[in-house]
Amino acid sequence: MKLFKRRPLPPVMRLMAAAGLPTAGGEIRLPDLAMEAAHRDNDRVAACLSVVEDLLAEEGDGPHVALKFLEVLQNAASHGVPELVTTEELLPLRGPRTVDAWAQVERFWQATATWCDENGVDLRAGDAIRAVQNRRLRTIVWTSGRTLPDGRVVDLAHVLQYELAVGVPMA
């Protein structure tokens, strides 16, 4: 008879552990976690994407946390910042469930960009985003918007306009 059964770590803590971050202090925000994992000078992102693959198969908070992590990771990678991994480097690291979730997140952001184009919402060039020097501000800005292949940026203000106009929130 086991008196003490070890409970699995919550989803964010599992991602933190995969990223090699200390978990004793409690959970950190997903944008901070994604930025730590996405740094080019470490191998943390592959371990995190492996955990994402597992989370997507679970019930409860796991899939939601996995999708949110993928979203902020994709956003950070989209800007083409030299110290972060690129989207192209992330693609081969995905498992089958992660590929599907990745596409779901991509479709939402692309639908937002398409809606902006069709409704005359100005998407500005992303040069200013890549120039942000303050580490904390970079985490906020780089994970809350994405640079499109043509160099324009879709940010949270555009997402809010899209969601209010069409009534379709991010899954």
Side-chain angles (χ1 to χ4, degrees):
M1 177 163 137
K2 287 188 173 183
L3 294 176
F4 299 101
K5 184 178 179 184
R6 187 168 222 183
R7 290 188 297 162
L9 289 174
V12 173
M13 296 290 239
R14 288 168 54 195
L15 284 166
M16 289 172 61
L21 299 174
T23 58
E27 294 183 3
I28 64 171
R29 296 175 48 248
L30 284 173
D32 295 314
L33 177 53
M35 288 293 286
E36 286 295 325
H39 272 277
R40 183 174 300 287
D41 62 355
N42 66 53
D43 296 324
R44 297 173 177 175
V45 73
C48 287
L49 288 175
S50 178
V51 170
V52 165
E53 184 73 13
D54 293 340
L55 292 174
L56 289 167
E58 296 177 3
E59 294 188 16
D61 291 338
H64 173 75
V65 170
L67 276 173
K68 189 64 184 165
F69 179 79
L70 284 177
E71 181 178 33
V72 294
L73 182 64
Q74 284 179 13
N75 288 352
S78 75
H79 303 301
V81 179
E83 65 257 31
L84 300 180
V85 294
T86 65
T87 300
E88 291 74 26
E89 292 170 312
L90 292 171
L91 296 178
L93 303 175
R94 304 169 302 160
R97 287 183 291 271
T98 306
V99 167
D100 291 340
W102 186 280
Q104 179 182 351
V105 173
E106 285 282 335
R107 281 189 304 272
F108 175 81
W109 281 86
Q110 186 54 56
T112 301
T114 300
W115 180 87
C116 288
D117 288 342
E118 291 171 351
N119 290 280
V121 177
D122 186 30
L123 300 177
R124 300 185 190 279
D127 298 332
I129 284 179
R130 288 183 290 282
V132 173
Q133 295 298 312
N134 180 285
R135 185 179 151 270
R136 189 79 188 122
L137 185 55
R138 278 193 308 224
T139 298
I140 294 167
V141 173
W142 290 355
T143 61
S144 63
R146 70 177 53 198
T147 299
L148 301 172
D150 65 7
R152 297 177 304 149
V153 173
V154 179
D155 62 26
L156 286 181
H158 301 119
V159 168
L160 179 60
Q161 286 178 290
Y162 171 72
E163 287 184 351
L164 288 173
V166 301
V168 178
M170 172 67 176

PDB file of all heavy atoms in Angstrom, residues 128-160:
ATOM      1  N   ALA A 128      10.573  48.208 -35.549  1.00  0.00           N
ATOM      2  CA  ALA A 128      10.614  48.753 -34.191  1.00  0.00           C
ATOM      3  C   ALA A 128      10.575  47.645 -33.142  1.00  0.00           C
ATOM      4  O   ALA A 128      11.221  47.758 -32.096  1.00  0.00           O
ATOM      5  CB  ALA A 128       9.454  49.720 -33.978  1.00  0.00           C
ATOM      6  N   ILE A 129       9.855  46.580 -33.416  1.00  0.00           N
ATOM      7  CA  ILE A 129       9.761  45.470 -32.460  1.00  0.00           C
ATOM      8  C   ILE A 129      11.127  44.824 -32.249  1.00  0.00           C
ATOM      9  O   ILE A 129      11.533  44.539 -31.134  1.00  0.00           O
ATOM     10  CB  ILE A 129       8.736  44.425 -32.952  1.00  0.00           C
ATOM     11  CG1 ILE A 129       7.335  44.953 -32.709  1.00  0.00           C
ATOM     12  CG2 ILE A 129       8.927  43.088 -32.268  1.00  0.00           C
ATOM     13  CD1 ILE A 129       6.251  44.031 -33.162  1.00  0.00           C
ATOM     14  N   ARG A 130      11.839  44.604 -33.327  1.00  0.00           N
ATOM     15  CA  ARG A 130      13.148  43.956 -33.228  1.00  0.00           C
ATOM     16  C   ARG A 130      14.195  44.846 -32.568  1.00  0.00           C
ATOM     17  O   ARG A 130      15.200  44.357 -32.097  1.00  0.00           O
ATOM     18  CB  ARG A 130      13.604  43.498 -34.607  1.00  0.00           C
ATOM     19  CG  ARG A 130      12.797  42.300 -35.110  1.00  0.00           C
ATOM     20  CD  ARG A 130      13.280  41.793 -36.433  1.00  0.00           C
ATOM     21  NE  ARG A 130      12.993  42.691 -37.541  1.00  0.00           N
ATOM     22  CZ  ARG A 130      11.812  42.816 -38.138  1.00  0.00           C
ATOM     23  NH1 ARG A 130      10.800  42.091 -37.723  1.00  0.00           N
ATOM     24  NH2 ARG A 130      11.638  43.646 -39.140  1.00  0.00           N
ATOM     25  N   ALA A 131      13.946  46.139 -32.503  1.00  0.00           N
ATOM     26  CA  ALA A 131      14.910  47.076 -31.919  1.00  0.00           C
ATOM     27  C   ALA A 131      14.756  47.245 -30.408  1.00  0.00           C
ATOM     28  O   ALA A 131      15.596  47.882 -29.778  1.00  0.00           O
ATOM     29  CB  ALA A 131      14.782  48.433 -32.604  1.00  0.00           C
ATOM     30  N   VAL A 132      13.739  46.663 -29.808  1.00  0.00           N
ATOM     31  CA  VAL A 132      13.519  46.813 -28.367  1.00  0.00           C
ATOM     32  C   VAL A 132      14.704  46.213 -27.616  1.00  0.00           C
ATOM     33  O   VAL A 132      15.074  45.055 -27.840  1.00  0.00           O
ATOM     34  CB  VAL A 132      12.194  46.133 -27.935  1.00  0.00           C
ATOM     35  CG1 VAL A 132      12.043  46.141 -26.428  1.00  0.00           C
ATOM     36  CG2 VAL A 132      11.010  46.810 -28.604  1.00  0.00           C
ATOM     37  N   GLN A 133      15.287  46.986 -26.708  1.00  0.00           N
ATOM     38  CA  GLN A 133      16.474  46.554 -25.965  1.00  0.00           C
ATOM     39  C   GLN A 133      16.163  46.041 -24.558  1.00  0.00           C
ATOM     40  O   GLN A 133      16.837  45.156 -24.065  1.00  0.00           O
ATOM     41  CB  GLN A 133      17.483  47.711 -25.868  1.00  0.00           C
ATOM     42  CG  GLN A 133      18.037  48.125 -27.211  1.00  0.00           C
ATOM     43  CD  GLN A 133      18.810  47.004 -27.876  1.00  0.00           C
ATOM     44  OE1 GLN A 133      19.652  46.363 -27.265  1.00  0.00           O
ATOM     45  NE2 GLN A 133      18.497  46.743 -29.137  1.00  0.00           N
ATOM     46  N   ASN A 134      15.169  46.605 -23.913  1.00  0.00           N
ATOM     47  CA  ASN A 134      14.833  46.214 -22.553  1.00  0.00           C
ATOM     48  C   ASN A 134      14.320  44.780 -22.532  1.00  0.00           C
ATOM     49  O   ASN A 134      13.356  44.441 -23.218  1.00  0.00           O
ATOM     50  CB  ASN A 134      13.769  47.179 -22.004  1.00  0.00           C
ATOM     51  CG  ASN A 134      13.361  46.843 -20.600  1.00  0.00           C
ATOM     52  OD1 ASN A 134      12.622  45.885 -20.377  1.00  0.00           O
ATOM     53  ND2 ASN A 134      13.834  47.629 -19.652  1.00  0.00           N
ATOM     54  N   ARG A 135      14.969  43.923 -21.742  1.00  0.00           N
ATOM     55  CA  ARG A 135      14.644  42.494 -21.713  1.00  0.00           C
ATOM     56  C   ARG A 135      13.188  42.231 -21.350  1.00  0.00           C
ATOM     57  O   ARG A 135      12.511  41.419 -21.967  1.00  0.00           O
ATOM     58  CB  ARG A 135      15.582  41.790 -20.728  1.00  0.00           C
ATOM     59  CG  ARG A 135      15.413  40.298 -20.702  1.00  0.00           C
ATOM     60  CD  ARG A 135      16.404  39.649 -19.711  1.00  0.00           C
ATOM     61  NE  ARG A 135      15.855  38.446 -19.187  1.00  0.00           N
ATOM     62  CZ  ARG A 135      15.103  38.354 -18.095  1.00  0.00           C
ATOM     63  NH1 ARG A 135      14.833  39.417 -17.389  1.00  0.00           N
ATOM     64  NH2 ARG A 135      14.617  37.207 -17.690  1.00  0.00           N
ATOM     65  N   ARG A 136      12.691  42.895 -20.342  1.00  0.00           N
ATOM     66  CA  ARG A 136      11.306  42.687 -19.886  1.00  0.00           C
ATOM     67  C   ARG A 136      10.311  43.141 -20.953  1.00  0.00           C
ATOM     68  O   ARG A 136       9.333  42.467 -21.232  1.00  0.00           O
ATOM     69  CB  ARG A 136      11.096  43.467 -18.576  1.00  0.00           C
ATOM     70  CG  ARG A 136       9.814  43.167 -17.930  1.00  0.00           C
ATOM     71  CD  ARG A 136       9.922  41.838 -17.172  1.00  0.00           C
ATOM     72  NE  ARG A 136       8.603  41.500 -16.724  1.00  0.00           N
ATOM     73  CZ  ARG A 136       7.970  40.380 -17.041  1.00  0.00           C
ATOM     74  NH1 ARG A 136       8.552  39.466 -17.755  1.00  0.00           N
ATOM     75  NH2 ARG A 136       6.768  40.150 -16.617  1.00  0.00           N
ATOM     76  N   LEU A 137      10.584  44.301 -21.546  1.00  0.00           N
ATOM     77  CA  LEU A 137       9.713  44.813 -22.598  1.00  0.00           C
ATOM     78  C   LEU A 137       9.751  43.906 -23.832  1.00  0.00           C
ATOM     79  O   LEU A 137       8.726  43.667 -24.464  1.00  0.00           O
ATOM     80  CB  LEU A 137      10.110  46.246 -22.965  1.00  0.00           C
ATOM     81  CG  LEU A 137       9.214  46.967 -23.965  1.00  0.00           C
ATOM     82  CD1 LEU A 137       7.761  46.979 -23.500  1.00  0.00           C
ATOM     83  CD2 LEU A 137       9.722  48.378 -24.191  1.00  0.00           C
ATOM     84  N   ARG A 138      10.932  43.380 -24.149  1.00  0.00           N
ATOM     85  CA  ARG A 138      11.030  42.434 -25.281  1.00  0.00           C
ATOM     86  C   ARG A 138      10.131  41.230 -25.056  1.00  0.00           C
ATOM     87  O   ARG A 138       9.452  40.770 -25.974  1.00  0.00           O
ATOM     88  CB  ARG A 138      12.474  41.956 -25.463  1.00  0.00           C
ATOM     89  CG  ARG A 138      13.334  42.887 -26.208  1.00  0.00           C
ATOM     90  CD  ARG A 138      14.616  42.222 -26.610  1.00  0.00           C
ATOM     91  NE  ARG A 138      15.283  41.583 -25.485  1.00  0.00           N
ATOM     92  CZ  ARG A 138      16.581  41.665 -25.251  1.00  0.00           C
ATOM     93  NH1 ARG A 138      17.359  42.347 -26.046  1.00  0.00           N
ATOM     94  NH2 ARG A 138      17.112  41.064 -24.227  1.00  0.00           N
ATOM     95  N   THR A 139      10.139  40.700 -23.843  1.00  0.00           N
ATOM     96  CA  THR A 139       9.297  39.542 -23.547  1.00  0.00           C
ATOM     97  C   THR A 139       7.836  39.861 -23.788  1.00  0.00           C
ATOM     98  O   THR A 139       7.111  39.066 -24.382  1.00  0.00           O
ATOM     99  CB  THR A 139       9.518  39.061 -22.099  1.00  0.00           C
ATOM    100  OG1 THR A 139      10.879  38.643 -21.960  1.00  0.00           O
ATOM    101  CG2 THR A 139       8.600  37.911 -21.744  1.00  0.00           C
ATOM    102  N   ILE A 140       7.409  41.024 -23.372  1.00  0.00           N
ATOM    103  CA  ILE A 140       6.017  41.412 -23.561  1.00  0.00           C
ATOM    104  C   ILE A 140       5.708  41.605 -25.042  1.00  0.00           C
ATOM    105  O   ILE A 140       4.739  41.055 -25.569  1.00  0.00           O
ATOM    106  CB  ILE A 140       5.699  42.703 -22.773  1.00  0.00           C
ATOM    107  CG1 ILE A 140       5.795  42.436 -21.274  1.00  0.00           C
ATOM    108  CG2 ILE A 140       4.317  43.240 -23.146  1.00  0.00           C
ATOM    109  CD1 ILE A 140       5.812  43.690 -20.424  1.00  0.00           C
ATOM    110  N   VAL A 141       6.531  42.378 -25.727  1.00  0.00           N
ATOM    111  CA  VAL A 141       6.258  42.745 -27.116  1.00  0.00           C
ATOM    112  C   VAL A 141       6.468  41.567 -28.064  1.00  0.00           C
ATOM    113  O   VAL A 141       5.634  41.305 -28.939  1.00  0.00           O
ATOM    114  CB  VAL A 141       7.126  43.955 -27.528  1.00  0.00           C
ATOM    115  CG1 VAL A 141       6.998  44.251 -29.007  1.00  0.00           C
ATOM    116  CG2 VAL A 141       6.749  45.176 -26.713  1.00  0.00           C
ATOM    117  N   TRP A 142       7.568  40.851 -27.917  1.00  0.00           N
ATOM    118  CA  TRP A 142       7.893  39.775 -28.859  1.00  0.00           C
ATOM    119  C   TRP A 142       6.944  38.590 -28.751  1.00  0.00           C
ATOM    120  O   TRP A 142       6.762  37.847 -29.710  1.00  0.00           O
ATOM    121  CB  TRP A 142       9.325  39.307 -28.687  1.00  0.00           C
ATOM    122  CG  TRP A 142      10.355  40.313 -29.145  1.00  0.00           C
ATOM    123  CD1 TRP A 142      10.138  41.501 -29.762  1.00  0.00           C
ATOM    124  CD2 TRP A 142      11.762  40.188 -29.001  1.00  0.00           C
ATOM    125  NE1 TRP A 142      11.322  42.139 -30.016  1.00  0.00           N
ATOM    126  CE2 TRP A 142      12.346  41.350 -29.557  1.00  0.00           C
ATOM    127  CE3 TRP A 142      12.593  39.224 -28.448  1.00  0.00           C
ATOM    128  CZ2 TRP A 142      13.717  41.561 -29.585  1.00  0.00           C
ATOM    129  CZ3 TRP A 142      13.961  39.433 -28.473  1.00  0.00           C
ATOM    130  CH2 TRP A 142      14.512  40.588 -29.043  1.00  0.00           C
ATOM    131  N   THR A 143       6.343  38.371 -27.589  1.00  0.00           N
ATOM    132  CA  THR A 143       5.454  37.216 -27.444  1.00  0.00           C
ATOM    133  C   THR A 143       3.982  37.557 -27.658  1.00  0.00           C
ATOM    134  O   THR A 143       3.157  36.662 -27.748  1.00  0.00           O
ATOM    135  CB  THR A 143       5.619  36.552 -26.061  1.00  0.00           C
ATOM    136  OG1 THR A 143       5.280  37.504 -25.050  1.00  0.00           O
ATOM    137  CG2 THR A 143       7.029  36.025 -25.855  1.00  0.00           C
ATOM    138  N   SER A 144       3.662  38.846 -27.756  1.00  0.00           N
ATOM    139  CA  SER A 144       2.253  39.224 -27.890  1.00  0.00           C
ATOM    140  C   SER A 144       1.872  39.651 -29.307  1.00  0.00           C
ATOM    141  O   SER A 144       0.752  40.091 -29.536  1.00  0.00           O
ATOM    142  CB  SER A 144       1.904  40.334 -26.898  1.00  0.00           C
ATOM    143  OG  SER A 144       2.649  41.497 -27.186  1.00  0.00           O
ATOM    144  N   GLY A 145       2.782  39.526 -30.231  1.00  0.00           N
ATOM    145  CA  GLY A 145       2.490  39.830 -31.622  1.00  0.00           C
ATOM    146  C   GLY A 145       3.404  39.017 -32.507  1.00  0.00           C
ATOM    147  O   GLY A 145       4.344  38.393 -32.016  1.00  0.00           O
ATOM    148  N   ARG A 146       3.118  38.993 -33.797  1.00  0.00           N
ATOM    149  CA  ARG A 146       3.979  38.227 -34.692  1.00  0.00           C
ATOM    150  C   ARG A 146       4.261  38.995 -35.961  1.00  0.00           C
ATOM    151  O   ARG A 146       3.436  39.759 -36.438  1.00  0.00           O
ATOM    152  CB  ARG A 146       3.429  36.847 -34.988  1.00  0.00           C
ATOM    153  CG  ARG A 146       2.210  36.773 -35.843  1.00  0.00           C
ATOM    154  CD  ARG A 146       1.808  35.327 -36.132  1.00  0.00           C
ATOM    155  NE  ARG A 146       1.687  34.576 -34.908  1.00  0.00           N
ATOM    156  CZ  ARG A 146       1.697  33.249 -34.830  1.00  0.00           C
ATOM    157  NH1 ARG A 146       1.787  32.525 -35.917  1.00  0.00           N
ATOM    158  NH2 ARG A 146       1.588  32.631 -33.687  1.00  0.00           N
ATOM    159  N   THR A 147       5.461  38.760 -36.471  1.00  0.00           N
ATOM    160  CA  THR A 147       5.861  39.346 -37.735  1.00  0.00           C
ATOM    161  C   THR A 147       5.456  38.395 -38.848  1.00  0.00           C
ATOM    162  O   THR A 147       5.786  37.207 -38.809  1.00  0.00           O
ATOM    163  CB  THR A 147       7.384  39.594 -37.761  1.00  0.00           C
ATOM    164  OG1 THR A 147       7.715  40.506 -36.705  1.00  0.00           O
ATOM    165  CG2 THR A 147       7.823  40.184 -39.080  1.00  0.00           C
ATOM    166  N   LEU A 148       4.744  38.927 -39.807  1.00  0.00           N
ATOM    167  CA  LEU A 148       4.302  38.144 -40.962  1.00  0.00           C
ATOM    168  C   LEU A 148       5.468  37.995 -41.946  1.00  0.00           C
ATOM    169  O   LEU A 148       6.436  38.757 -41.884  1.00  0.00           O
ATOM    170  CB  LEU A 148       3.117  38.838 -41.633  1.00  0.00           C
ATOM    171  CG  LEU A 148       1.886  39.061 -40.751  1.00  0.00           C
ATOM    172  CD1 LEU A 148       0.866  39.932 -41.475  1.00  0.00           C
ATOM    173  CD2 LEU A 148       1.289  37.746 -40.314  1.00  0.00           C
ATOM    174  N   PRO A 149       5.375  37.048 -42.865  1.00  0.00           N
ATOM    175  CA  PRO A 149       6.463  36.865 -43.835  1.00  0.00           C
ATOM    176  C   PRO A 149       6.805  38.128 -44.633  1.00  0.00           C
ATOM    177  O   PRO A 149       7.946  38.312 -45.036  1.00  0.00           O
ATOM    178  CB  PRO A 149       5.928  35.765 -44.755  1.00  0.00           C
ATOM    179  CG  PRO A 149       5.001  34.976 -43.885  1.00  0.00           C
ATOM    180  CD  PRO A 149       4.367  35.994 -42.980  1.00  0.00           C
ATOM    181  N   ASP A 150       5.835  39.031 -44.813  1.00  0.00           N
ATOM    182  CA  ASP A 150       6.110  40.262 -45.567  1.00  0.00           C
ATOM    183  C   ASP A 150       6.673  41.380 -44.689  1.00  0.00           C
ATOM    184  O   ASP A 150       6.877  42.503 -45.153  1.00  0.00           O
ATOM    185  CB  ASP A 150       4.862  40.737 -46.309  1.00  0.00           C
ATOM    186  CG  ASP A 150       3.722  41.149 -45.386  1.00  0.00           C
ATOM    187  OD1 ASP A 150       3.912  41.196 -44.144  1.00  0.00           O
ATOM    188  OD2 ASP A 150       2.624  41.431 -45.906  1.00  0.00           O
ATOM    189  N   GLY A 151       6.933  41.096 -43.401  1.00  0.00           N
ATOM    190  CA  GLY A 151       7.554  42.070 -42.512  1.00  0.00           C
ATOM    191  C   GLY A 151       6.586  42.902 -41.689  1.00  0.00           C
ATOM    192  O   GLY A 151       7.001  43.627 -40.786  1.00  0.00           O
ATOM    193  N   ARG A 152       5.295  42.822 -41.968  1.00  0.00           N
ATOM    194  CA  ARG A 152       4.314  43.552 -41.172  1.00  0.00           C
ATOM    195  C   ARG A 152       4.033  42.789 -39.884  1.00  0.00           C
ATOM    196  O   ARG A 152       4.254  41.580 -39.806  1.00  0.00           O
ATOM    197  CB  ARG A 152       3.018  43.743 -41.951  1.00  0.00           C
ATOM    198  CG  ARG A 152       3.196  44.578 -43.207  1.00  0.00           C
ATOM    199  CD  ARG A 152       1.913  44.694 -44.003  1.00  0.00           C
ATOM    200  NE  ARG A 152       1.377  43.378 -44.333  1.00  0.00           N
ATOM    201  CZ  ARG A 152       0.082  43.104 -44.467  1.00  0.00           C
ATOM    202  NH1 ARG A 152      -0.825  44.027 -44.308  1.00  0.00           N
ATOM    203  NH2 ARG A 152      -0.318  41.871 -44.771  1.00  0.00           N
ATOM    204  N   VAL A 153       3.534  43.509 -38.880  1.00  0.00           N
ATOM    205  CA  VAL A 153       3.287  42.915 -37.570  1.00  0.00           C
ATOM    206  C   VAL A 153       1.800  42.923 -37.240  1.00  0.00           C
ATOM    207  O   VAL A 153       1.118  43.928 -37.416  1.00  0.00           O
ATOM    208  CB  VAL A 153       4.068  43.666 -36.470  1.00  0.00           C
ATOM    209  CG1 VAL A 153       3.693  43.177 -35.086  1.00  0.00           C
ATOM    210  CG2 VAL A 153       5.559  43.507 -36.692  1.00  0.00           C
ATOM    211  N   VAL A 154       1.330  41.785 -36.731  1.00  0.00           N
ATOM    212  CA  VAL A 154      -0.009  41.657 -36.156  1.00  0.00           C
ATOM    213  C   VAL A 154       0.196  41.592 -34.653  1.00  0.00           C
ATOM    214  O   VAL A 154       0.980  40.774 -34.169  1.00  0.00           O
ATOM    215  CB  VAL A 154      -0.714  40.371 -36.653  1.00  0.00           C
ATOM    216  CG1 VAL A 154      -2.089  40.247 -36.036  1.00  0.00           C
ATOM    217  CG2 VAL A 154      -0.789  40.330 -38.152  1.00  0.00           C
ATOM    218  N   ASP A 155      -0.498  42.462 -33.907  1.00  0.00           N
ATOM    219  CA  ASP A 155      -0.319  42.455 -32.460  1.00  0.00           C
ATOM    220  C   ASP A 155      -1.658  42.241 -31.748  1.00  0.00           C
ATOM    221  O   ASP A 155      -2.681  42.002 -32.397  1.00  0.00           O
ATOM    222  CB  ASP A 155       0.383  43.728 -31.992  1.00  0.00           C
ATOM    223  CG  ASP A 155      -0.402  44.998 -32.289  1.00  0.00           C
ATOM    224  OD1 ASP A 155      -1.646  44.951 -32.393  1.00  0.00           O
ATOM    225  OD2 ASP A 155       0.233  46.055 -32.403  1.00  0.00           O
ATOM    226  N   LEU A 156      -1.632  42.330 -30.435  1.00  0.00           N
ATOM    227  CA  LEU A 156      -2.843  42.056 -29.658  1.00  0.00           C
ATOM    228  C   LEU A 156      -3.980  43.034 -29.953  1.00  0.00           C
ATOM    229  O   LEU A 156      -5.144  42.658 -29.877  1.00  0.00           O
ATOM    230  CB  LEU A 156      -2.533  42.073 -28.157  1.00  0.00           C
ATOM    231  CG  LEU A 156      -1.764  40.868 -27.638  1.00  0.00           C
ATOM    232  CD1 LEU A 156      -1.534  40.999 -26.133  1.00  0.00           C
ATOM    233  CD2 LEU A 156      -2.483  39.575 -27.950  1.00  0.00           C
ATOM    234  N   ALA A 157      -3.659  44.249 -30.300  1.00  0.00           N
ATOM    235  CA  ALA A 157      -4.723  45.195 -30.656  1.00  0.00           C
ATOM    236  C   ALA A 157      -5.460  44.717 -31.901  1.00  0.00           C
ATOM    237  O   ALA A 157      -6.692  44.813 -31.974  1.00  0.00           O
ATOM    238  CB  ALA A 157      -4.132  46.589 -30.890  1.00  0.00           C
ATOM    239  N   HIS A 158      -4.727  44.165 -32.856  1.00  0.00           N
ATOM    240  CA  HIS A 158      -5.358  43.637 -34.063  1.00  0.00           C
ATOM    241  C   HIS A 158      -6.192  42.400 -33.739  1.00  0.00           C
ATOM    242  O   HIS A 158      -7.286  42.222 -34.276  1.00  0.00           O
ATOM    243  CB  HIS A 158      -4.301  43.283 -35.114  1.00  0.00           C
ATOM    244  CG  HIS A 158      -3.468  44.459 -35.515  1.00  0.00           C
ATOM    245  ND1 HIS A 158      -2.107  44.485 -35.322  1.00  0.00           N
ATOM    246  CD2 HIS A 158      -3.799  45.642 -36.068  1.00  0.00           C
ATOM    247  CE1 HIS A 158      -1.639  45.638 -35.758  1.00  0.00           C
ATOM    248  NE2 HIS A 158      -2.650  46.371 -36.214  1.00  0.00           N
ATOM    249  N   VAL A 159      -5.671  41.553 -32.861  1.00  0.00           N
ATOM    250  CA  VAL A 159      -6.409  40.351 -32.451  1.00  0.00           C
ATOM    251  C   VAL A 159      -7.716  40.750 -31.777  1.00  0.00           C
ATOM    252  O   VAL A 159      -8.764  40.173 -32.060  1.00  0.00           O
ATOM    253  CB  VAL A 159      -5.543  39.467 -31.519  1.00  0.00           C
ATOM    254  CG1 VAL A 159      -6.376  38.383 -30.852  1.00  0.00           C
ATOM    255  CG2 VAL A 159      -4.386  38.861 -32.288  1.00  0.00           C
ATOM    256  N   LEU A 160      -7.663  41.758 -30.917  1.00  0.00           N
ATOM    257  CA  LEU A 160      -8.871  42.216 -30.238  1.00  0.00           C
ATOM    258  C   LEU A 160      -9.900  42.745 -31.240  1.00  0.00           C
ATOM    259  O   LEU A 160     -11.082  42.397 -31.168  1.00  0.00           O
ATOM    260  CB  LEU A 160      -8.530  43.291 -29.210  1.00  0.00           C
ATOM    261  CG  LEU A 160      -9.705  43.879 -28.444  1.00  0.00           C
ATOM    262  CD1 LEU A 160     -10.449  42.805 -27.662  1.00  0.00           C
ATOM    263  CD2 LEU A 160      -9.239  44.981 -27.523  1.00  0.00           C
TER     264      LEU A 160
END
